[in-house]
Amino acid sequence: MFNAQEKVQEVIKFIRNYCEKAQVKGVVIGISGGKDSAVVAGLFAKALGAANVVGVWLPCHSNNQDKSNAERLAKHFGFELKEFDLTELYDGYVKQFKFLNDTQDNEVIDANINIKPRLRMATLYYYAAYLSKKNKGLYLVPGTSNKCELYVGYFTKGGDNVADIQVLADFTVEEVILLGKAIGVPDDIVDKVPDDGLSGLSDEDKLGVKYAEIADVIENNGQNVSEVAKKKIEVLHNNNLHKFHIPTFMQKEQN
């Protein structure tokens, strides 16, 4: 039986112990308007104090509801929220590839989607480095990926998988929701249908499977999942292993 209140205390203890050992002064968290970043921000605000948490809203052709969610979340937990609009930067970046004048839209859609989280992560680390110097103390960038996303590789390599500390990586989507409710994340945010805020599609639409099915494969070897869904999840998992393990040639000693 998953006890959300107990898990919250365990995560808070983990954060405090690590940050004390590493002499961390604060954290910079990208706030998307969805549940994962909301729960991460809430946990760090409780663990380190809201004054040591900086949320960053990073719009890039984003919708206003996500901005509203980010603002409400910051007010709810009491942390500062900064905005860095990446729309012009993104448009300028993509424009540099106009030399690919024979390229069709469907050929660059994934490249365009994936450059957004890479620009966002670069911005978070830039701001964390700035705050570290300004405030004379180390600022880290926490990750916001959950266990289900990680299992099927639903993240951008060099983007949202880059982080200094992970606190949701061992929790399924349903468990993240329970953690969010336990710490008081507003219901409409914690119950929001997961989406990447980039493609206009829900996560489950893009993946072709449900997060509950992924969780069942992880926890029960897919006993309650159709063979079709189970196979699709296995393919996603195996095809994305390269995101975790970089093939590296190693010289062997010669006799």
Side-chain angles (χ1 to χ4, degrees):
M1 183 71 177
F2 185 81
N3 188 317
Q5 291 291 352
E6 286 186 2
K7 293 300 179 183
V8 165
Q9 295 307 312
E10 290 175 12
V11 175
I12 288 174
K13 182 178 179 180
F14 166 77
I15 292 171
R16 287 174 176 167
N17 287 345
Y18 179 80
C19 290
E20 182 178 352
K21 179 185 291 186
Q23 296 184 308
V24 175
K25 185 175 183 65
V27 292
V28 175
I29 303 173
I31 307 297
S32 68
K35 65 171 64 64
D36 291 328
S37 63
V39 174
V40 171
L43 288 168
F44 273 91
K46 289 182 177 296
L48 304 181
N52 298 311
V53 174
V54 180
V56 184
W57 162 242
L58 297 160
C60 187
H61 296 290
S62 303
N63 64 65
N64 290 330
Q65 184 57 55
D66 286 342
K67 180 178 182 179
S68 174
N69 286 350
E71 291 172 340
R72 287 192 299 117
L73 187 73
K75 183 177 181 180
H76 181 78
F77 285 111
F79 60 83
E80 181 181 14
L81 183 70
K82 293 290 189 180
E83 177 176 339
F84 294 98
D85 193 329
L86 301 180
T87 303
E88 185 176 343
L89 178 63
Y90 165 81
D91 289 344
Y93 189 96
V94 171
K95 187 177 180 181
Q96 296 303 311
F97 289 87
K98 290 301 181 182
F99 67 87
L100 303 174
N101 50 24
D102 60 342
T103 300
Q104 303 299 311
D105 287 345
N106 68 317
E107 294 174 330
V108 297
I109 185 171
D110 286 339
N112 287 349
I113 288 173
N114 285 323
I115 196 60
K116 294 179 181 180
R118 289 172 177 142
L119 291 173
R120 285 171 170 165
M121 194 53 63
T123 304
L124 293 177
Y125 272 95
Y126 182 98
Y127 194 49
Y130 162 77
L131 289 177
S132 295
K133 286 294 185 181
K134 178 183 178 182
N135 297 333
K136 297 179 174 60
L138 179 63
Y139 277 72
L140 299 182
V141 178
T144 60
S145 294
N146 62 61
K147 191 173 187 176
C148 294
E149 292 172 331
L150 292 171
Y151 186 79
V152 294
Y154 187 60
F155 57 83
T156 297
K157 185 191 289 187
D160 46 332
N161 73 311
V162 179
D164 297 316
I165 180 172
Q166 295 276 14
V167 295
L168 297 186
D170 199 35
F171 294 106
T172 66
V173 171
E174 183 58 36
E175 289 170 343
V176 171
I177 292 172
L178 293 174
L179 292 176
K181 291 181 181 296
I183 63 174
V185 175
D187 286 343
D188 64 316
I189 294 178
V190 80
D191 291 327
K192 180 176 178 286
V193 175
D195 67 75
D196 59 10
L198 304 170
S199 63
L201 299 173
S202 74
D203 290 355
E204 294 180 338
D205 286 339
K206 290 191 69 178
L207 290 168
V209 293
K210 297 185 180 300
Y211 276 128
E213 293 173 323
I214 299 172
D216 192 73
V217 167
I218 295 171
E219 298 175 338
N220 303 308
N221 200 30
Q223 293 182 15
N224 305 304
V225 177
S226 71
E227 286 301 315
V228 172
K230 186 176 179 180
K231 180 63 177 178
K232 187 172 291 187
I233 292 166
E234 290 174 351
V235 169
L236 287 168
H237 174 72
N238 292 329
N239 286 354
N240 284 300
L241 288 176
H242 68 93
K243 294 184 176 182
F244 299 94
H245 308 291
I246 305 300
T248 304
F249 172 79
M250 302 297 292
Q251 297 185 69
K252 297 180 180 179
E253 292 185 8
Q254 301 298 317
N255 293 328

Coordinates of all heavy atoms in Angstrom, one line a residue, residues 195-237:
D195 N 0.9 16.3 -20.8 CA 1.4 16.6 -22.2 C 2.7 17.3 -22.1 O 3.1 17.8 -21.0 CB 0.3 17.5 -22.9 CG 0.2 18.9 -22.3 OD1 1.1 19.7 -22.5 OD2 -0.8 19.1 -21.6
D196 N 3.4 17.3 -23.2 CA 4.8 17.9 -23.2 C 4.8 19.4 -23.4 O 5.8 20.1 -23.3 CB 5.6 17.2 -24.3 CG 5.1 17.4 -25.7 OD1 4.1 18.2 -25.9 OD2 5.6 16.8 -26.6
G197 N 3.6 20.0 -23.7 CA 3.5 21.5 -23.9 C 4.2 21.9 -25.1 O 4.5 23.1 -25.3
L198 N 4.6 21.0 -26.0 CA 5.4 21.3 -27.2 C 4.7 20.9 -28.5 O 4.7 21.6 -29.5 CB 6.7 20.6 -27.1 CG 7.6 20.9 -25.9 CD1 8.8 19.9 -25.8 CD2 8.1 22.3 -25.9
S199 N 4.0 19.7 -28.4 CA 3.5 19.1 -29.7 C 2.0 19.3 -29.9 O 1.5 19.1 -30.9 CB 3.8 17.6 -29.7 OG 3.1 17.0 -28.6
G200 N 1.3 19.7 -28.8 CA -0.2 19.8 -28.8 C -0.9 18.5 -28.6 O -2.1 18.5 -28.7
L201 N -0.1 17.5 -28.3 CA -0.7 16.2 -28.0 C -0.5 15.8 -26.6 O 0.5 16.2 -25.9 CB 0.0 15.1 -28.9 CG -0.2 15.3 -30.4 CD1 0.7 14.3 -31.2 CD2 -1.7 15.2 -30.9
S202 N -1.4 14.9 -26.0 CA -1.1 14.4 -24.7 C 0.0 13.4 -24.8 O 0.3 12.8 -25.8 CB -2.4 13.7 -24.2 OG -2.6 12.4 -24.8
D203 N 0.6 13.1 -23.6 CA 1.7 12.1 -23.6 C 1.2 10.8 -24.1 O 1.9 10.1 -24.8 CB 2.2 12.0 -22.1 CG 3.0 13.2 -21.6 OD1 3.2 14.1 -22.4 OD2 3.3 13.2 -20.4
E204 N 0.1 10.3 -23.6 CA -0.4 9.0 -24.0 C -0.8 8.9 -25.4 O -0.6 7.9 -26.1 CB -1.6 8.7 -23.1 CG -1.3 8.5 -21.6 CD -2.4 8.2 -20.7 OE1 -3.6 8.4 -21.1 OE2 -2.2 7.6 -19.6
D205 N -1.2 10.0 -26.0 CA -1.5 10.1 -27.5 C -0.2 9.9 -28.2 O -0.1 9.1 -29.2 CB -2.1 11.4 -27.9 CG -3.6 11.5 -27.5 OD1 -4.2 10.5 -27.3 OD2 -4.1 12.7 -27.4
K206 N 0.9 10.5 -27.8 CA 2.2 10.4 -28.5 C 2.8 9.0 -28.3 O 3.3 8.4 -29.2 CB 3.2 11.4 -27.9 CG 2.8 12.9 -28.4 CD 4.0 13.8 -28.0 CE 5.2 13.5 -28.9 NZ 6.3 14.5 -28.7
L207 N 2.6 8.5 -27.1 CA 3.2 7.2 -26.8 C 2.4 6.0 -27.4 O 3.0 5.0 -27.7 CB 3.3 7.0 -25.3 CG 4.4 7.8 -24.6 CD1 4.2 7.7 -23.1 CD2 5.8 7.4 -24.9
G208 N 1.1 6.2 -27.5 CA 0.3 5.1 -28.0 C -0.1 4.1 -26.9 O -0.7 3.1 -27.2
V209 N 0.2 4.4 -25.7 CA -0.1 3.5 -24.5 C -0.4 4.4 -23.4 O -0.1 5.6 -23.3 CB 1.0 2.6 -24.1 CG1 1.3 1.5 -25.2 CG2 2.3 3.3 -23.8
K210 N -1.1 3.9 -22.3 CA -1.4 4.6 -21.2 C -0.4 4.5 -20.1 O 0.3 3.4 -20.0 CB -2.8 4.2 -20.6 CG -3.9 4.4 -21.6 CD -5.3 4.0 -20.9 CE -6.4 4.3 -21.9 NZ -6.5 5.7 -22.4
Y211 N -0.2 5.5 -19.3 CA 0.8 5.5 -18.2 C 0.5 4.3 -17.2 O 1.4 3.7 -16.6 CB 0.8 6.8 -17.4 CG 1.7 7.8 -18.1 CD1 1.3 9.1 -18.4 CD2 3.1 7.5 -18.5 CE1 2.1 10.0 -19.0 CE2 3.9 8.4 -19.1 CZ 3.4 9.7 -19.4 OH 4.2 10.6 -20.0
A212 N -0.8 4.0 -17.0 CA -1.2 2.9 -16.1 C -0.7 1.6 -16.6 O -0.3 0.7 -15.9 CB -2.7 2.9 -15.9
E213 N -0.7 1.5 -18.0 CA -0.2 0.3 -18.6 C 1.3 0.2 -18.4 O 1.9 -0.9 -18.2 CB -0.6 0.2 -20.1 CG -2.1 0.1 -20.3 CD -2.5 0.3 -21.8 OE1 -1.8 1.1 -22.5 OE2 -3.4 -0.4 -22.2
I214 N 2.0 1.3 -18.6 CA 3.5 1.3 -18.4 C 3.8 0.9 -16.9 O 4.7 0.1 -16.7 CB 4.1 2.7 -18.7 CG1 3.8 3.0 -20.1 CG2 5.6 2.7 -18.4 CD1 4.2 4.4 -20.5
A215 N 3.1 1.4 -16.0 CA 3.3 1.1 -14.6 C 3.1 -0.4 -14.3 O 3.8 -1.0 -13.5 CB 2.4 2.0 -13.7
D216 N 2.1 -0.9 -14.9 CA 1.8 -2.4 -14.7 C 2.9 -3.2 -15.3 O 3.2 -4.3 -14.7 CB 0.4 -2.7 -15.4 CG 0.0 -4.1 -14.9 OD1 -0.5 -4.2 -13.8 OD2 0.1 -5.1 -15.7
V217 N 3.5 -2.8 -16.4 CA 4.6 -3.6 -17.0 C 5.8 -3.5 -16.0 O 6.5 -4.5 -15.8 CB 5.0 -3.0 -18.4 CG1 6.3 -3.5 -18.8 CG2 3.9 -3.4 -19.4
I218 N 6.0 -2.3 -15.5 CA 7.1 -2.1 -14.5 C 6.9 -3.0 -13.2 O 7.8 -3.7 -12.8 CB 7.3 -0.7 -14.2 CG1 7.7 0.2 -15.4 CG2 8.4 -0.5 -13.1 CD1 7.7 1.7 -15.1
E219 N 5.7 -2.9 -12.7 CA 5.5 -3.5 -11.4 C 4.9 -4.9 -11.4 O 5.2 -5.7 -10.4 CB 4.5 -2.6 -10.6 CG 5.0 -1.2 -10.4 CD 4.0 -0.2 -9.8 OE1 2.8 -0.5 -9.9 OE2 4.4 0.8 -9.2
N220 N 4.2 -5.3 -12.5 CA 3.6 -6.6 -12.5 C 3.9 -7.4 -13.7 O 3.2 -8.4 -14.0 CB 2.0 -6.4 -12.4 CG 1.6 -5.7 -11.1 OD1 2.0 -6.0 -10.0 ND2 0.8 -4.7 -11.3
N221 N 4.9 -7.0 -14.4 CA 5.3 -7.7 -15.7 C 4.2 -7.7 -16.7 O 4.1 -8.6 -17.5 CB 5.8 -9.1 -15.4 CG 6.6 -9.7 -16.5 OD1 7.3 -9.0 -17.2 ND2 6.5 -11.0 -16.7
G222 N 3.3 -6.7 -16.6 CA 2.3 -6.5 -17.6 C 1.1 -7.5 -17.5 O 0.5 -7.8 -18.5
Q223 N 0.9 -8.0 -16.3 CA -0.2 -9.0 -16.1 C -1.6 -8.5 -16.5 O -2.4 -9.3 -16.9 CB -0.2 -9.5 -14.7 CG 1.1 -10.3 -14.3 CD 1.0 -10.8 -12.9 OE1 -0.1 -10.8 -12.2 NE2 2.2 -11.2 -12.3
N224 N -1.8 -7.2 -16.3 CA -3.1 -6.6 -16.6 C -3.1 -5.8 -17.8 O -4.0 -4.9 -18.0 CB -3.5 -5.8 -15.4 CG -3.5 -6.5 -14.1 OD1 -4.1 -7.6 -13.9 ND2 -2.7 -6.0 -13.1
V225 N -2.2 -6.0 -18.7 CA -2.0 -5.2 -19.9 C -2.2 -6.1 -21.2 O -1.8 -7.3 -21.1 CB -0.6 -4.5 -20.0 CG1 -0.5 -3.8 -21.3 CG2 -0.5 -3.6 -18.8
S226 N -2.8 -5.6 -22.2 CA -3.0 -6.4 -23.4 C -1.6 -6.7 -24.0 O -0.7 -6.0 -23.8 CB -3.9 -5.7 -24.4 OG -3.2 -4.5 -24.9
E227 N -1.6 -7.8 -24.8 CA -0.3 -8.2 -25.4 C 0.2 -7.1 -26.4 O 1.3 -6.9 -26.6 CB -0.5 -9.5 -26.2 CG -0.5 -10.7 -25.2 CD 0.7 -10.8 -24.3 OE1 1.8 -10.6 -24.9 OE2 0.6 -11.0 -23.1
V228 N -0.8 -6.4 -27.0 CA -0.4 -5.3 -28.0 C 0.2 -4.2 -27.3 O 1.3 -3.7 -27.7 CB -1.7 -4.8 -28.7 CG1 -1.4 -3.6 -29.6 CG2 -2.3 -5.9 -29.6
A229 N -0.4 -3.8 -26.2 CA 0.2 -2.6 -25.4 C 1.5 -3.1 -24.8 O 2.5 -2.3 -24.7 CB -0.8 -2.2 -24.3
K230 N 1.6 -4.3 -24.2 CA 2.8 -4.8 -23.6 C 4.0 -4.8 -24.6 O 5.1 -4.3 -24.3 CB 2.6 -6.2 -23.0 CG 3.8 -6.7 -22.2 CD 3.4 -8.1 -21.6 CE 4.6 -8.6 -20.8 NZ 4.2 -9.9 -20.2
K231 N 3.7 -5.3 -25.8 CA 4.7 -5.3 -26.9 C 5.2 -3.9 -27.2 O 6.4 -3.6 -27.4 CB 4.2 -6.0 -28.1 CG 5.2 -6.1 -29.3 CD 6.4 -6.9 -28.9 CE 7.3 -7.0 -30.1 NZ 8.5 -7.8 -29.7
K232 N 4.2 -2.9 -27.3 CA 4.6 -1.6 -27.7 C 5.5 -0.9 -26.6 O 6.4 -0.2 -26.9 CB 3.3 -0.7 -27.9 CG 3.5 0.7 -28.4 CD 2.2 1.3 -28.7 CE 1.6 0.7 -29.9 NZ 0.4 1.5 -30.4
I233 N 5.1 -1.2 -25.3 CA 5.9 -0.7 -24.2 C 7.3 -1.3 -24.2 O 8.3 -0.6 -24.0 CB 5.2 -1.0 -22.9 CG1 3.9 -0.1 -22.8 CG2 6.1 -0.7 -21.7 CD1 3.0 -0.6 -21.7
E234 N 7.4 -2.6 -24.5 CA 8.8 -3.2 -24.6 C 9.6 -2.6 -25.7 O 10.8 -2.4 -25.5 CB 8.6 -4.7 -24.8 CG 8.0 -5.4 -23.5 CD 7.7 -6.9 -23.8 OE1 7.8 -7.3 -25.0 OE2 7.4 -7.6 -22.8
V235 N 9.0 -2.4 -26.8 CA 9.7 -1.8 -28.0 C 10.2 -0.4 -27.6 O 11.3 0.0 -27.9 CB 8.8 -1.7 -29.2 CG1 9.4 -0.9 -30.3 CG2 8.5 -3.2 -29.7
L236 N 9.3 0.4 -27.0 CA 9.7 1.8 -26.6 C 10.9 1.7 -25.6 O 11.9 2.5 -25.7 CB 8.5 2.5 -25.9 CG 7.4 3.0 -26.8 CD1 6.2 3.4 -26.0 CD2 7.9 4.1 -27.7
H237 N 10.8 0.8 -24.6 CA 11.9 0.7 -23.7 C 13.2 0.3 -24.3 O 14.2 0.9 -24.1 CB 11.5 -0.4 -22.6 CG 12.5 -0.7 -21.6 ND1 12.9 0.1 -20.6 CD2 13.3 -1.8 -21.5 CE1 13.9 -0.4 -19.9 NE2 14.1 -1.6 -20.4

